[in-house]
Amino acid sequence: MKAFAYVNPTNEKDAVAALGPERDRDRVMLLGGGQDLLARMKDYISQPDRVVNVKNALDATIAPTPDGGLKIGAAVRIVDLAENAQVQKLYPSLVAAAGEVGTPQIRNSGTVGGNINQRPRCWYFRNEEFNCFKKGGDRCFAPAGENQFHAIFGSGPTHIVHPSSLAVPAVAYGAKFRLVGPSGERIVDAAEYFTMPTMQNVKTENVLAADEVFTHIILPAPGNVKHGHYEVRFKASHDWPIAFATVVLAMNGGTIGSARVVMGAVAPVPWRAQAAERALAGKRIDEATAAEAAIAALEGARPMSQNNYKVQVAKTAVKRAILQAGGIKTA
Ligand SMILES: Cc1cc2nc3c(=O)[nH]c(=O)nc-3n(C[C@H](O)[C@H](O)[C@H](O)COP(=O)(O)OP(=O)(O)OC[C@H]3O[C@@H](n4cnc5c(N)ncnc54)[C@H](O)[C@@H]3O)c2cc1C
């Protein structure tokens, strides 16, 4: 590992100050639990000159907001999120996602801020030998290579899937993210935080600026909603899901008033399936409705040579998440 300077700020302002004056995300990096960053550093994928530990600087609490929602600090550990009684009561799909992240050890040290901002798990990005777009190279190796775990939505230039399990329910619940930089705070919709790759913006996955720190997830009061979250893995292993879905259904009596359907591990961002949301509006939750919405969710998928199977897996995840929301038992 390359030698680096280590900074240990104890408040938000000092954490932001510790990012300057370089404002260069390749040279200065934030450290949460280190589950992702330290692995990248050991593999020579990331070689910062300075590492800024934010665990002692950022909020590590979960607190109610005046409107009945919750504000979750970036330094909260994933295990504490999963075990928090208020989160369990208000946002069960977020708890389900948190509880399935990796292993107990990963959940014990991984933070909410680190999970949302973790870098892609693409094996070309993670391998020093492949100089892909994300590392300043001139191509994405997935289309002509081993692409079984890559995106089935989007048209490049990179084909990563977003790795964060927490990001998907955050978008489904309509969360906002609080970011802090040298000129103060800004609040961004979770759905607007994650960015599809473009040639101008190929090395990053979100709108966080090089001089900003991610500080909170702010969740609105859920209201009268039903929730479902379903993840599919190769087996009951500790690996990332192949595809998963969160659905949040705002009920209007016995029918769905409006729906948010978001899929994970299928695109470079948490993928909102608006065709499925339209298909659900005004319907009762049953097997036929769930199946129809699941088909709609996968409209427009563009699988590559080895990941066509993900279309069916994602469809199943959406269908089962909807049925789960309706309290209907799945196989
Ligand atoms: C075997 C295995 C299985 C896993 N399975 C899953 C899974 O199913 N689902 C899932 O979501 N994850 C999974 N993970 C990933 C793991 O959950 C994440 O690596 C972890 O949550 C990252 O949290 P951290 O605090 O350790 O992040 P760190 O490694 O400290 O940081 C991750 C990245 O975020 C940046 N960062 C950290 N904090 C901030 C902040 N406050 N503001 C801005 N940027 C910040 C860092 O600079 C770094 O680039 C798995 C990991 C392993 C090893």
Side-chain angles (χ1 to χ4, degrees), residues 28-40 46 54-55 58 74-75 78 97 100-103 106-107 109-119 121 163-167 193 208 212-215 231 233 238-241 244:
V28 184
M29 295 185 188
L30 299 174
L31 176 73
Q35 294 289 308
D36 171 28
L37 179 61
L38 296 184
R40 288 192 339 254
S46 297
V54 288
K55 281 196 305 298
L58 300 183
I78 297 167
E100 290 203 53
V101 166
T103 63
I106 290 164
R107 297 192 289 275
S109 57
T111 61
V112 165
N115 185 276
I116 295 283
N117 290 285
Q118 61 179 300
R119 302 301 313 281
R121 301 307 300 191
S164 170
S165 293
L166 303 185
Y193 183 72
L208 189 77
E212 286 182 317
V213 176
F214 174 103
T215 71
E231 303 193 2
R233 288 179 166 75
H238 58 246
D239 219 342
W240 278 260
F244 63 108

Side-chain angles (χ1 to χ4, degrees), residues 23-29 203-204 206-211:
R23 298 183 178 189
D24 181 344
R25 52 165 59 88
D26 289 332
R27 292 175 56 200
V28 184
M29 295 185 188
K203 286 173 76 179
T204 56
N206 55 53
V207 299
L208 189 77
D211 58 2

